[in-house]
Amino acid sequence: MIEKHIVLEDIDPVMFYGVNNCHLQMVRSLFPKLRIVGRDNVIRIQGGEEDMAKAEEDIENIRRHILKYNTIQDEDILDIVKGHTPKKDASGDVVIYNMSGKPIKARSENQQKLITAFDNNDMIFAVGPAGSGKTYLSIALAVKALKDKTAKRIILSRPAVEAGEKLGFLPGDMREKIDPYLQPLYDALQDMIPAVKLQDMMDKDVIQIAPLAFMRGRTLNDAIVILDEAQNTTTAQIRMFLTRMGWNTKMIITGDLTQIDLPRQTQSGLKDAVHILNGIEGIGIINLTQKDIVRHKLVTRIVEAYEKRDKNIEINHIDNESFNKN
């Protein structure tokens, strides 16, 4: 009799074991000649060499299934042990799967353009209205790169400018002050990575979330770097951020030019950058529209209503200027 230890890397062991260890019990029942014990992220197996080799291979395949789909069912385990291919999404265009096992993929033509631009460029600008999926899809692409080991870390950033508030007026220490600004990034990550694994990645700086001001002076290598809400950067800020790019790094810059919260006389760095960098090789610029909105259908109607109002204000402003000149 021999003994082997298998470490469940990159996944939440609770997901492998199942509720009340139901998945582990199924694995045990499929290998009655082996003694299988799971503790934390280590599985200990005792038994004959031939059965041991088969169990080791199947446990690794189960681990890979969980890593890819973020879920596993009893029938999936049964298929894997019997040598069958588990049922999965057959579309072939899935970026990753969320914590419920649902596929995250492009849901519009422009979202697909964003995915293609990520594959073909080192810097991507995704500009569009709220709900068009630019941030969520960008984070999904970053998580996929981390899982595929094409990047060693994810760095997420936002400018701490929202609705006129300033950090100094918010309660708490610096971490407590900036967390509300970064919460949308946490929300997206929590939908794609098990909570225990996410916390471990953040503790080890594999995933870093920080306000834009913390980027100054850094060179970002071997990473997927995302700047969210970039419409609220100044020209100097976005220039500083873009020049942080290091070797084997991809940058995604997202923003909505209709939701600029900067002081009235301040030029949006995102608007300036998109104009200056358009056409440069290695930089992809994707413009998303109301048609790409994937939130509640009312979000599309709200965006359209506000855009209609803004156009009317602009027309009236031009008419008033013409009248005053005459």
Side-chain angles (χ1 to χ4, degrees):
M1 181 179 289
I2 60 175
E3 179 175 317
K4 281 193 176 181
H5 292 183
I6 300 174
V7 179
L8 300 174
E9 295 180 345
D10 301 328
I11 66 168
D12 184 351
V14 174
M15 198 175 293
F16 183 98
Y17 299 142
V19 179
N20 296 322
N21 286 336
C22 63
H23 294 158
L24 185 60
Q25 289 171 12
M26 171 172 268
V27 172
R28 286 173 180 155
S29 68
L30 293 168
F31 293 93
K33 295 181 181 180
L34 298 176
R35 184 173 185 270
I36 302 175
V37 178
R39 185 172 183 180
D40 296 329
N41 69 330
V42 178
I43 296 177
R44 192 173 77 240
I45 309 175
Q46 291 178 333
E49 187 172 353
E50 186 176 343
D51 290 327
M52 179 88 69
K54 168 65 174 163
E56 191 174 7
E57 180 183 354
D58 290 340
I59 287 172
E60 172 59 17
N61 288 333
I62 293 170
R63 185 196 69 82
R64 289 179 180 176
H65 183 97
I66 294 172
L67 182 62
K68 181 175 182 180
Y69 298 104
N70 272 325
T71 188
I72 195 162
Q73 306 298 326
D74 288 348
E75 53 266 32
D76 298 324
I77 295 174
L78 198 58
D79 283 338
I80 289 171
V81 174
K82 287 186 174 182
H84 302 155
T85 302
K87 295 178 182 178
K88 58 182 181 296
D89 188 275
S91 62
D93 58 357
V94 176
V95 178
I96 59 170
Y97 292 79
N98 70 10
M99 290 306 302
S100 301
K102 295 181 179 178
I104 298 173
K105 57 184 178 180
R107 297 175 63 180
S108 69
E109 183 179 349
N110 286 327
Q111 287 188 4
Q112 184 57 53
K113 287 180 180 178
L114 173 56
I115 294 173
T116 303
F118 180 82
D119 292 335
N120 297 332
N121 298 276
D122 288 334
M123 184 177 291
I124 304 97
F125 288 84
V127 183
S132 56
K134 54 189 183 295
T135 300
Y136 190 79
L137 192 56
S138 296
I139 292 177
L141 289 166
V143 172
K144 181 180 187 298
L146 201 60
K147 286 188 173 187
D148 292 345
K149 301 189 184 302
T150 57
K152 293 183 179 178
R153 55 183 175 155
I154 297 173
I155 300 171
L156 308 174
S157 185
R158 284 181 124 200
V161 178
E162 300 250 346
E165 290 182 305
K166 295 183 179 179
L167 290 177
F169 293 102
L170 296 176
D173 58 21
M174 179 56 71
R175 177 64 184 266
E176 292 171 325
K177 288 174 186 289
I178 65 177
D179 268 359
Y181 295 97
L182 306 175
Q183 191 58 49
L185 306 180
Y186 289 115
D187 291 343
L189 287 169
Q190 288 167 352
D191 196 37
M192 302 174 199
I193 301 174
V196 174
K197 187 62 181 176
L198 176 59
Q199 187 59 54
D200 181 61
M201 287 178 165
M202 294 182 70
D203 290 343
K204 294 177 179 176
D205 284 337
V206 174
I207 295 179
Q208 302 173 28
I209 305 179
L212 180 60
F214 287 28
M215 296 295 107
R216 186 174 300 277
R218 301 181 64 183
T219 300
L220 308 175
N221 296 317
D222 299 310
I224 307 298
V225 187
I226 298 175
L227 175 61
D228 191 36
E229 299 289 349
Q231 75 276 2
N232 287 328
T233 61
T234 64
T235 298
Q237 285 174 331
I238 201 166
R239 182 175 180 177
M240 176 274 292
F241 174 82
L242 297 179
T243 53
R244 301 305 93 200
M245 190 173 194
W247 294 107
N248 192 35
T249 288
K250 289 197 176 194
M251 283 187 165
I252 308 177
I253 300 92
T254 71
D256 178 0
L257 291 174
T258 68
Q259 294 189 7
I260 298 173
D261 295 314
L262 293 168
R264 186 165 295 181
Q265 301 302 319
T266 305
Q267 167 84 332
S268 168
L270 176 62
K271 186 175 182 179
D272 194 41
V274 168
H275 173 71
I276 292 172
L277 303 177
N278 187 30
I280 292 180
E281 185 178 354
I283 297 178
I285 299 176
I286 307 300
N287 291 297
L288 297 103
T289 68
Q290 300 95 308
K291 294 180 181 179
D292 302 298
I293 293 177
V294 292
R295 293 180 185 169
H296 193 286
K297 59 185 178 182
L298 276 179
V299 175
T300 302
R301 297 173 189 169
I302 291 169
V303 171
E304 290 176 344
Y306 273 95
E307 286 197 349
K308 183 178 180 181
R309 191 281 307 267
D310 291 343
K311 286 180 181 178
N312 288 335
I313 291 175
E314 185 177 348
I315 291 171
N316 291 334
H317 179 71
I318 293 173
D319 289 344
N320 288 336
E321 282 191 342
S322 300
F323 178 80
N324 292 333
K325 287 180 180 179
N326 294 330

